[in-house]
Amino acid sequence: MQLNNIPFGITNWNEIEQTKHLGEQGYALWRTQQFDTIRVRIVEYSTDYLADHWCRKGHILFCLEGELHTELEDGRTFILTAGMSYQVADHAEAHRSSTTIGAKLFIVD
């Protein structure tokens, strides 16, 4: 990851407009900031959320609240709770997210 052309700045995430993204089940609310080629988001998954696709994009993801279930296309599963993170490279392991109780995440990709 190259961090270029990003002057020092502060983000008040409460002032960033949310966008709603439907999953196969439930929905995700995104607050997104773009810094040159780096996308930074606060994402909130509703209860009973299931992603509608297998993601192949790389992320650094930190669980702020709730519980996130991550399934890899090869069948492995992982559970993140508040204070845990994962990282995956672009085009490495395809993954998809779900949660039964909801989750709030900080994601850099």
Side-chain angles (χ1 to χ4, degrees):
M1 175 186 326
Q2 291 282 330
L3 298 176
N4 298 311
N5 304 313
I6 305 171
F8 180 83
I10 295 172
T11 301
N12 182 340
W13 288 98
N14 294 321
E15 294 177 355
I16 305 299
E17 184 178 339
Q18 288 183 328
T19 57
K20 188 173 187 176
H21 303 262
L22 298 178
E24 187 173 306
Q25 296 174 192
Y27 60 89
L29 300 174
W30 296 14
R31 296 179 191 267
T32 306
Q33 288 282 76
Q34 190 74 37
F35 302 103
D36 196 42
T37 61
I38 306 297
R39 180 175 65 173
V40 181
R41 298 176 286 161
I42 298 286
V43 175
E44 295 182 56
Y45 290 135
S46 69
T47 57
D48 297 320
Y49 174 81
L50 173 62
D52 65 350
H53 66 283
W54 289 96
C55 183
R56 288 177 165 69
K57 180 145 182 61
H59 314 284
I60 297 172
L61 181 149
F62 181 74
C63 184
L64 298 166
E65 298 173 7
E67 182 178 277
L68 178 72
H69 297 239
T70 300
E71 177 184 7
L72 302 187
E73 201 168 34
D74 67 12
R76 291 179 289 160
T77 59
F78 302 89
I79 298 174
L80 274 66
T81 56
M84 297 175 72
S85 65
Y86 77 68
Q87 51 286 325
V88 63
D90 287 333
H91 313 291
E93 290 97 355
H95 50 282
R96 72 175 172 179
S97 298
S98 66
T99 179
T100 56
I101 66 168
K104 186 175 185 179
L105 313 168
F106 182 80
I107 305 171
V108 178
D109 51 25

